[in-house]
Amino acid sequence: MRYPEDQFNAGHIPADLLGQLPPGTDPKQIVIVRAAPRNYMGPILLAITITGGIALIILMIAVTLHVAAAATVAVLSATGGLGLTLKRPQHRSK
């Protein structure tokens, strides 16, 4: 066994922990409780979901503003409130 985790998994109590037991304690009745390894799947999925939601909201705002601007230009140009005049230079004939 190379690592303390291997000793814990096999049910052995490492010597440094045996030295910390109070006198008169039966080592066979000792249960070592360890925390479970952290699972990163939940936080990763949460970050991806939040990022995707923000991107979707920004896209929807951009599409809404585009449609509103196009509708405003169409209404103003149809009612005469908006006009565009192009001035072409006059050609001089020789």
Side-chain angles (χ1 to χ4, degrees):
M1 289 181 223
R2 294 183 177 178
Y3 304 107
E5 297 90 33
D6 295 337
Q7 291 178 342
F8 287 137
N9 292 334
H12 299 157
I13 300 175
D16 60 337
L17 290 179
L18 280 176
Q20 297 175 6
L21 295 177
T25 305
D26 185 14
K28 295 178 183 176
Q29 295 180 351
I30 298 295
V31 176
I32 298 174
V33 179
R34 298 181 295 155
R38 181 165 170 103
N39 185 0
Y40 291 99
M41 182 63 75
I44 290 172
L45 288 178
L46 181 64
I48 290 172
T49 303
I50 290 173
T51 305
I54 291 172
L56 183 63
I57 289 172
I58 291 173
L59 181 67
M60 293 302 296
I61 290 172
V63 168
T64 303
L65 289 176
H66 176 74
V67 169
T72 304
V73 168
V75 167
L76 288 176
S77 64
T79 59
L82 178 69
L84 180 63
T85 304
L86 297 176
K87 294 184 179 182
R88 296 176 54 192
Q90 296 178 357
H91 293 285
R92 295 183 184 173
S93 40
K94 295 183 180 181

